[in-house]
Amino acid sequence: MQILENEPMNKHTSFKVGGPARFFVKAESVDDLKEALAMAREKGLPHFILGNGTNLLVSDKGYEGVVITLAGEFSEIADMGKGAFKAGAAVPLGRFARTALKQGYAGIHKLAGIPGTLGGAIYMNAGAYGQEIGTHCTQVVTLDEAGNIRERSASECAFGYRQSIFQKSGAGGAQAETILSATFLLESANTACESQEQTVARLEAELQECMAKRKATQPLNMPNAGSTFKRMERGSADMPQQVAPGYYIEQAGLKGLRIGGAEVSTLHANFIVNAGGATAKDILDLSDYVKAAVAKKFGIELQREIIMLGEF
């Protein structure tokens, strides 16, 4: 188990900002993870489980706690046959989606462009292009604060739009359960009139179409953390409708607005990017300004999708 002190978090987040973590631990096994959690308890510090840092804003002051990143055995994928897969929390979501796709299974293949890990995807119930990771999840294995392994059914995970039961957190970002792995049951995309090779080619074409859309509409060449604000539910219970925050941000005339080195993307209004030399405070201040401006103009309260870590 690797332990670093005062590790700069700008090296571990897609925003490329953030001060040092008091301790930064790389855990490659359940025993390593238990040891890291025990260290946090002994020192009276909170802990945070880090995936790829692609949906995270860390304070410029850093994080006075233990950041734990998973590797080793948490990076494995098991094909259990007939569409059943088990993947560790550290598996890149894109790698898992492509593994299933190559076997001719659909349901998560359009998520391959999301740059996070499986654990982070389960935590946030990540989704894109009409697919969500929780839809085909059958079980999530976790480690609770007492050191016990828990197996949660899909219903226990309470998946919703960018929500799961795992988002319950204590002060300072301490997490009640650590996601170790998840099991999925995916549907075969094979049809009677095509071969396995044709099925895989069709799914790959669908994936490439999504990747092309992502590249054309999102500022992938600049440091960012994906969508800044969640889509909003509008309409009635019988006819719910999701409304994109980017529309309201753009209509408020905020595209290209800058505070320090942070900028509302000129390509996609629901992305805040590090345009060069941004601080975490720049990004937070800009998101606060956007929230206030949209609320004033449209009476709509935007909700951040990005996770905040540390004191701001």
Side-chain angles (χ1 to χ4, degrees):
M1 184 173 73
Q2 183 182 20
I3 303 175
L4 302 175
E5 293 191 49
N6 299 314
E7 174 71 359
M9 288 302 292
N10 59 7
K11 295 167 54 177
H12 302 282
T13 64
S14 58
F15 264 136
K16 306 300 181 187
V17 302
R22 181 66 185 86
F23 294 98
F24 186 93
V25 179
K26 187 175 184 179
E28 300 196 9
S29 66
V30 173
D31 287 342
D32 281 355
L33 177 58
K34 288 181 178 180
E35 186 178 340
L37 295 173
M39 182 182 78
R41 286 194 300 271
E42 290 167 4
K43 295 181 178 297
L45 296 173
H47 69 273
F48 183 83
I49 307 298
L50 178 73
N52 277 355
T54 53
N55 193 39
L56 182 67
L57 180 63
V58 180
S59 167
D60 298 314
K61 301 174 184 176
Y63 178 62
E64 189 57 30
V66 181
V67 172
I68 304 169
T69 187
L70 305 181
E73 68 181 47
F74 302 109
S75 303
E76 299 172 359
I77 301 175
D79 183 347
M80 300 183 290
K82 297 182 179 180
F85 294 85
K86 183 175 182 179
V91 171
L93 185 55
R95 177 181 153 216
F96 176 45
R98 285 187 175 278
T99 297
L101 182 155
K102 289 177 181 177
Q103 299 300 318
Y105 290 100
I108 61 168
H109 59 291
K110 295 181 181 180
L111 306 184
I114 297 176
T117 58
L118 180 71
I122 290 290
Y123 181 88
M124 292 298 298
N125 190 22
Y129 303 109
Q131 295 183 347
E132 289 184 336
I133 194 67
T135 303
H136 297 282
C137 180
T138 58
Q139 185 186 74
V140 177
V141 179
T142 69
L143 182 72
D144 67 20
E145 290 187 316
N148 301 311
I149 301 291
R150 298 189 59 172
E151 297 180 351
R152 286 191 177 273
S153 66
S155 59
E156 288 180 292
C157 295
F159 290 118
Y161 174 67
R162 303 299 176 266
Q163 292 181 348
S164 75
I165 196 171
F166 307 109
Q167 292 175 20
K168 58 184 181 182
S169 298
Q175 294 162 330
E177 291 181 53
T178 301
I179 297 167
L180 305 181
S181 65
T183 304
F184 299 83
L185 185 60
L186 303 176
E187 56 204 37
S188 173
N190 279 112
T191 65
C193 60
E194 66 182 10
S195 66
Q196 172 78 358
E197 291 76 13
Q198 289 172 323
T199 299
V200 172
R202 175 167 53 81
L203 294 178
E204 180 66 31
E206 291 178 13
L207 165 59
Q208 291 304 322
E209 182 181 358
C210 293
M211 297 289 278
K213 287 180 181 178
R214 185 181 291 272
K215 185 176 181 179
T217 59
Q218 298 179 8
L220 303 183
N221 62 332
M222 303 180 77
N224 69 80
S227 297
T228 304
F229 300 102
K230 297 179 182 179
R231 285 179 175 265
M232 299 164 290
E233 292 286 352
R234 314 293 285 179
S236 64
D238 295 332
M239 296 186 66
Q241 180 183 9
Q242 283 194 353
V243 180
Y247 169 80
Y248 293 102
I249 298 169
E250 184 168 354
Q251 291 302 306
L254 301 175
K255 264 190 170 182
L257 178 68
R258 290 186 65 155
I259 293 180
E263 178 182 272
V264 176
S265 171
T266 56
L267 188 60
H268 193 311
N270 196 26
F271 280 63
I272 289 178
V273 299
N274 181 348
T279 64
K281 187 176 186 304
D282 290 341
I283 295 167
L284 178 61
D285 288 350
L286 184 56
S287 68
D288 283 342
Y289 186 94
V290 168
K291 281 186 66 175
V294 169
K296 182 177 180 180
K297 188 173 181 66
F298 299 107
I300 292 173
E301 189 69 27
L302 297 178
Q303 293 185 345
R304 285 191 192 90
E305 188 170 320
I306 295 170
I307 297 169
M308 316 285 287
L309 184 65
E311 294 183 8
F312 285 85

